[in-house]
Amino acid sequence: GIPPSKCLAVAIDVGTDNEDLRADERYLGLRQPRVRGTEYRELLDEVVMAISSRWPESVVQMEAFSNAHAFEHLERYRDRFRTFNDDIQGSAAV
């Protein structure tokens, strides 16, 4: 296994389309409509490239992305970065 001391959890907040959440004073997330399309892909590219640049031997585990995005991410990054999607590949291994 991988020692927990060698892991860094990163949450990427791209907003929400749930207006009730955005209006809730206890909501801690980004209070804007969800980022999509080119802006979303560019943000994720920037994050993955920054991680891989800072820690070249790292493995980026993506978690809790929709299936449509998960398959897109796997295809997009498969030849450039060490990455896997636990929702798809981890579940398949079990």
Side-chain angles (χ1 to χ4, degrees):
I2 299 173
S5 63
K6 301 291 184 185
C7 298
L8 175 65
V10 176
I12 303 170
D13 187 347
V14 294
T16 180
D17 290 333
N18 185 321
E19 292 182 21
D20 291 335
L21 280 178
R22 291 196 314 252
D24 187 332
E25 64 184 38
R26 296 169 294 176
Y27 180 62
L28 299 176
L30 193 58
R31 294 175 188 274
Q32 71 177 40
R34 186 178 181 89
V35 173
R36 299 184 188 284
T38 302
E39 186 177 2
Y40 172 84
R41 282 188 297 280
E42 288 174 352
L43 172 64
L44 198 57
D45 284 350
E46 184 177 347
V47 170
V48 172
M49 285 188 280
I51 292 169
S52 296
S53 175
R54 173 60 181 90
W55 297 287
E57 300 299 315
S58 65
V59 175
V60 176
Q61 174 187 344
M62 298 190 178
E63 179 78 33
F65 285 94
S66 67
N67 277 353
H69 285 122
F71 285 106
E72 176 188 336
H73 298 157
L74 289 173
E75 184 63 31
R76 186 174 185 85
Y77 301 123
R78 72 180 328 137
D79 296 325
R80 299 185 292 158
F81 306 107
R82 292 184 185 105
T83 182
F84 75 99
N85 184 290
D86 189 57
D87 293 328
I88 295 171
Q89 295 165 305
S91 298
V94 174

